[in-house]
Amino acid sequence: MGLFCNGFSLFVVLCSMAVAASGSFYQDFDLTWGDRRAKIFNGGQLLSLSLDKVSGSGFQSKKEYLFGRIDMQLKLVAGNSAGTVTAYYLSSQGPAHDEIDFEFLGNLSGDPYILHTNVFTQGKGNREQQFYLWFDPTRNFHTYSIIWKPQHIIFLVDNIPIRVFKNAESIGVPFPKSQPMRIYSSLWNADDWATRGGLVKTDWTKAPFTAYYRNFRASACTWSYGASSCGSQSSSAFSDGAWTTSELDAPGRRRLRWVQKYFMIYNYCTDLKRFPQGPPPECK
């Protein structure tokens, strides 16, 4: 993964950015909760989170980021994972926080995971899109990526775009662009809502439930002491073509349409029961 500054790619990636390439999980992340249920091993190249009846677990990045591309490979809880949620997301802090979410909702054995996505701005979310995946995410590692730029947010699975959230500030929709965010992940019990709206509960005889992480990479602007490693938004890093013209190319748009046609199972923009007065303005 990382930067694709030459040759074919789905989009022009942030070639002018400061690159914070992966070292090891020891260097890049702190295990934040869950006692010893979160583990780093294989010399820092593999991380696992576990959930049992007592507690789940989680980690967060040491660094904060303000725009960039974040890649992580995950292998999700295998078998009967009903009631569990594996969350992997970017978030700032405080009541008016911004957040960019991947959440993987567990399933009964043989049923597909649901990939739940959301974007929060200034503390407000309610922008959910949900997908089935076109593979079994528990058998092998797959790459889940977030491209976060002033123009848009792109969610990708194995480098295939599944969702684009565009900056619509021109029509009054807030966009996350001023609050630096850390990377977080957690594995926790949400059987009050996660599987079939809470109808299927966690089977604790199958515990512990474990998810695995590897190959983290951040091609991103890091934030420290009130300043970005890429300089100000008016600097050349933000004004050159990589920032201003980086939209999905034609193959990327085709793949996005393919995913949304065949694998999207919920889109807040088309939920007229929820929005009887019409969809939110960014949907139009």
Side-chain angles (χ1 to χ4, degrees):
M1 304 305 298
L3 293 179
F4 295 85
C5 298
N6 298 295
F8 172 78
S9 70
L10 291 178
F11 37 77
V12 180
V13 187
L14 316 177
C15 300
S16 62
M17 299 180 64
V19 179
S22 175
S24 77
F25 282 110
Y26 290 119
Q27 294 174 0
D28 296 322
F29 292 93
D30 292 317
L31 306 180
T32 48
W33 65 283
D35 199 16
R36 286 180 287 276
R37 293 171 184 82
K39 298 175 183 176
I40 298 173
F41 47 103
N42 279 18
Q45 299 306 301
L46 197 62
L47 186 153
S48 67
L49 294 181
S50 288
L51 163 70
D52 58 32
K53 199 165 187 177
V54 175
S55 178
S57 51
F59 64 84
Q60 70 180 43
S61 63
K62 295 178 186 288
K63 293 179 179 178
E64 291 183 292
Y65 303 93
L66 187 63
F67 303 125
R69 174 175 178 143
I70 305 297
D71 298 300
M72 183 82 80
Q73 290 191 329
L74 280 74
K75 184 162 71 170
L76 299 179
V77 174
N80 182 0
S81 57
T84 71
V85 172
T86 305
Y88 156 58
Y89 59 102
L90 289 166
S91 183
S92 61
Q93 296 298 305
H97 75 291
D98 296 334
E99 188 172 317
I100 305 169
D101 287 345
F102 279 109
E103 288 188 292
F104 303 91
L105 311 186
N107 62 1
L108 288 168
S109 298
D111 290 343
Y113 260 81
I114 291 175
L115 171 52
H116 175 100
T117 66
N118 204 351
V119 176
F120 285 76
T121 56
Q122 299 176 10
K124 179 178 177 294
N126 301 323
R127 301 186 179 101
E128 302 91 345
Q129 290 183 358
Q130 294 184 338
F131 306 84
Y132 287 142
L133 295 166
W134 49 95
F135 51 83
D136 180 350
T138 71
R139 293 190 57 143
N140 297 296
F141 283 92
H142 292 269
T143 304
Y144 303 91
S145 308
I146 293 167
I147 304 266
W148 173 33
K149 305 178 69 170
Q151 299 89 354
H152 57 223
I153 295 161
I154 305 175
F155 296 78
L156 303 106
V157 176
D158 289 338
N159 218 33
I160 295 174
I162 64 167
R163 177 177 185 178
V164 178
F165 182 80
K166 292 187 176 181
N167 184 330
E169 289 178 305
S170 62
I171 56 172
V173 179
F175 186 83
K177 67 174 190 180
S178 59
Q179 299 188 67
M181 300 198 235
R182 293 186 193 274
I183 304 161
Y184 296 88
S185 190
S186 57
L187 176 54
W188 48 290
N189 178 45
D191 68 2
D192 56 332
W193 65 270
T195 306
R196 293 184 59 204
L199 293 176
V200 183
K201 302 301 183 182
T202 304
D203 181 356
W204 294 110
T205 66
K206 301 293 192 294
F209 305 97
T210 304
Y212 296 91
Y213 302 74
R214 73 179 187 191
N215 291 354
F216 162 71
R217 184 174 294 272
S219 306
C221 300
T222 56
W223 183 268
S224 59
Y225 302 105
S228 168
S229 62
C230 297
S232 71
Q233 289 193 34
S234 61
S235 74
S236 60
F238 286 84
S239 60
D240 70 8
W243 284 96
T244 57
T245 63
S246 154
E247 299 293 331
L248 290 178
D249 61 11
R253 290 193 298 272
R254 284 196 297 272
R255 288 172 178 171
L256 177 67
R257 288 193 297 268
W258 173 74
V259 171
Q260 295 195 340
K261 179 177 179 180
Y262 293 107
F263 300 100
M264 179 186 282
I265 58 171
Y266 178 79
N267 181 3
Y268 77 108
C269 285
T270 59
D271 191 340
L272 297 182
K273 288 184 180 177
R274 197 168 155 196
F275 302 106
Q277 307 304 315
E282 69 269 17
C283 296
K284 302 168 186 173

